[in-house]
Amino acid sequence: MPDGSVAIVGAGVAGAAAAARLAERGIEVDVYEAVPEPRPIGAGLLLQPTGQRVLAAMGLLDEALALGTRVDRLFGDTPAGRTVLDMSYRRFHPEAYGLGIQRGALMGLLWGRLRELGVRWHCGVAVDGFDQDVRGVTLRLAGRETERHSALVLANGSFSRLREGMNVGQSARPFPWGAVWTVLPAPAGFAQIELRQRFRSASQMLGLMPVGRATHADAQSGVNLFWSLPVAELDGWSTRMGLDRLKQQMAELFPDVAPLIAGLTDAAQLREARYADVWMRRWHDGRVLAIGDCAHGMSPQLGQGANMALIDAHELAAEVGGDWPQVFERYTRRRRAHLRFYGQASKGLTPMFQSHAVVAPWLRDRFFGWGGRLPYIHQQSIATLAGVKTGWLWGRLKL
Ligand SMILES: Cc1cc2nc3c(=O)[nH]c(=O)nc-3n(C[C@H](O)[C@H](O)[C@H](O)COP(=O)(O)OP(=O)(O)OC[C@H]3O[C@@H](n4cnc5c(N)ncnc54)[C@H](O)[C@@H]3O)c2cc1C
C-alpha cells in the first residue's frame, strides 16, 4: 500500500482547485502553501466557458457570476482607429460569454470550498524538495521535518524550482515582457465596457476589463487595468518613470481611460507581473505530477492560465482510480492535445502583442481585423479564446 495522503504544493488556482476536486472524490489531501497568510489579492482574470464549466461542476459558478461581470465581446484597436480584434462569444455559442472576475473573488470561493471539505492546509510552509520511491514521496519542508505522502502534485507556479526535481525534459524561459496591473473602482459609464484593448505596435498595450466585486460586501464594481512593459523597464519603474509619467502614457494611448486612472494615485496600487513560457515533455514522473502554471506557464495574452489550472484540476480528479503513477500517466494523455495547442498558440501570438518587433504587429494591424470578419477565421479565433481548441484545424475539448 502507498504511504499517506496526496500532497499538493501551492494554494493558487491550480492547487486549491485540485485539492478541492480530489477531496470531493474522497481522496485525503494536504496542501502546502509558502505564504503564511494567503490573502485574496491579485487583479482580474477572464474566465472562459471552459473554466466556468469546471466551476459549475464544483457548484461555485452561481456565486462566481454574482461576484464577477459578464464579458460578451473583446475589442482592440490602434490609436489610428484600425480594428485589431473584435470577437463576440455569441458567435462561438449563443449562450457563451467570458466572466471577468477578481482573482481574490475566485480564490475566496476555492478556499471556502477547501474549508467546507476539511482539507488540511499548511500555510507558511515552503516545500524545498522531494524524493520519491515506489511506495511514496518524501517532502523536504523548509526548517521542518520531512513528511511522507502517497503522491505529490506540484502547483507552485511558473517559477517552480521543485519542477526541476522531476525526471522529465523541460524548459522555463522567463518572458522578456511583463506588465503592471491593478483593479480600480469603475467610474460611472465604465461599468458597461467590454474587454477593451488599445495597441501601439507591440510596444504599448493597455487593457481594460470589468471584473465585478471582490466580495459580496463590496458596493462598487472594479475595472482591471493592464499596462504592458518590458521586464527591463519593470524593475524599479516607479522610481525611474514615476506614476505621473506612466498615467500620461496611458492617457496618450487611450484618452478614454482618463476617468478611470484618476483613481490611480499611488504607485503601490499597481502590481508587477512577470511570466515564463514553461514547456514539459510530459507532466508526470512516477508519483509526481505538475499542474497549472508550474506545468505550462504562458503569457496572459490568451487569457487561459487560470482556466487551464481549473481544467487540470477537473481532469485529474476524473482520472482517479488505481495507483497514482497510473492516474498521472492517464492524466498526461488526457491533457496533451489541449495543453500543446495553447502552448504553441501563446508562443506564436504573444510577440505580436508584447515585443519590440515591427513586422509582426504591422501584419497584425493590417490583417487581424480584416481576417476576423471572415466567418471561418472568427470561429477559430473565438474558439481559441473560449479555451476549447485541441488542434490548429480541428479538435474540441470535451469536459
Ligand atoms: C497579468 C496577468 C493576467 C492574467 N490574466 C488571465 C486571464 O485573464 N485569464 C486566465 O485564465 N488567466 C490569466 N492569467 C494567468 C493566471 O493568473 C495564472 O495562470 C494562474 O493564476 C496560475 O495559477 P497557479 O495556481 O498555477 O499558480 P500561482 O497562482 O502562481 O500559485 C502558486 C502558489 O504556490 C505557492 N508556492 C510557490 N512555491 C512554493 C513552495 N516551494 N512551497 C509551497 N508553496 C509554494 C505560491 O505562494 C502560490 O500561492 C494572468 C496572469 C497574469 C500575470
Side-chain angles (χ1 to χ4, degrees), residues 43-367:
L45 298 169
L46 182 62
L47 279 189
Q48 306 298 349
T50 46
Q52 294 166 30
R53 213 166 308 155
V54 176
L55 288 183
M58 298 174 79
L60 298 175
L61 183 60
D62 287 344
E63 223 180 318
L65 287 170
L67 288 167
T69 300
R70 187 182 155 125
V71 173
D72 291 313
R73 177 176 174 233
L74 186 156
F75 183 79
D77 61 1
T78 67
R82 201 184 275 270
T83 298
V84 178
L85 299 169
D86 187 358
M87 290 191 260
S88 295
Y89 283 97
R90 206 170 3 96
R91 290 180 59 188
F92 167 66
H93 186 279
E95 285 165 24
Y97 52 86
L99 176 63
I101 190 166
Q102 301 198 25
R103 184 175 182 276
L106 178 62
M107 292 317 307
L109 297 180
L110 293 173
W111 292 338
R113 174 48 52 87
L114 292 189
R115 279 190 286 275
E116 276 167 27
L117 290 162
V119 170
R120 284 189 297 273
W121 199 359
H122 312 271
C123 291
V125 182
V127 177
D128 271 355
F130 63 87
D131 301 292
Q132 63 166 315
D133 53 53
V134 287
R135 286 170 52 93
V137 183
T138 304
L139 295 194
R140 297 193 295 277
L141 309 179
R144 295 185 186 217
E145 301 202 337
T146 55
E147 291 284 347
R148 187 84 178 148
H149 292 277
S150 58
L152 170 62
V153 177
L154 298 178
N156 64 328
S158 299
F159 297 95
S160 171
R161 301 306 305 267
L162 297 171
R163 184 180 50 226
E164 291 160 22
M166 294 175 72
N167 188 16
V168 173
Q170 56 183 276
S171 66
R173 290 199 193 88
F175 195 69
W177 286 65
V180 285
W181 59 335
T182 188
V183 175
L184 294 167
F190 253 94
Q192 307 307 321
I193 63 157
E194 301 287 26
L195 200 161
R196 184 76 171 82
Q197 295 179 325
R198 170 64 60 86
F199 314 99
R200 180 175 283 127
S201 188
S203 59
Q204 279 194 329
M205 172 180 171
L206 182 140
L208 300 172
M209 179 171 69
V211 288
R213 299 166 299 149
T215 68
H216 292 296
D218 292 339
Q220 205 170 2
S221 288
V223 174
N224 188 69
L225 170 76
F226 174 102
W227 179 257
S228 161
L229 277 177
V231 166
E233 288 176 34
L234 198 54
D235 294 322
W237 72 268
S238 58
T239 37
R240 233 174 325 100
M241 176 175 9
L243 183 62
D244 289 342
R245 175 78 193 110
L246 184 79
K247 286 172 67 173
Q248 190 187 339
Q249 286 186 6
M250 290 177 178
E252 278 168 13
L253 182 67
F254 188 44
D256 293 4
V257 82
L260 179 72
I261 58 175
L264 182 56
T265 52
D266 184 347
Q269 284 171 272
L270 287 166
R271 293 169 60 79
E272 293 171 13
R274 292 170 176 75
Y275 13 99
D277 268 327
V278 178
W279 171 86
M280 297 181 77
R281 187 170 299 283
R282 53 187 159 82
W283 298 282
H284 69 281
D285 172 28
R287 293 182 174 275
V288 183
L289 179 74
I291 62 168
D293 278 7
C294 173
H296 43 72
M298 58 183 72
S299 94
Q301 294 307 329
L302 288 174
Q304 299 296 327
N307 292 276
M308 296 284 198
L310 290 168
I311 298 166
D312 290 352
H314 187 73
E315 301 282 61
L316 171 59
E319 288 298 347
V320 164
D323 202 0
W324 289 106
Q326 286 83 53
V327 173
F328 292 169
E329 201 179 328
R330 290 198 301 270
Y331 166 90
T332 281
R333 272 205 300 275
R334 192 173 178 124
R335 293 295 287 131
R336 177 161 278 129
H338 187 240
L339 292 177
R340 288 283 179 257
F341 172 78
Y342 281 95
Q344 289 166 7
S346 171
K347 274 209 192 84
L349 287 171
T350 301
M352 295 198 179
F353 294 93
Q354 287 195 292
S355 71
H356 289 301
V358 178
V359 177
W362 185 88
L363 290 171
R364 173 200 73 191
D365 292 353
R366 294 306 149 307
F367 297 112

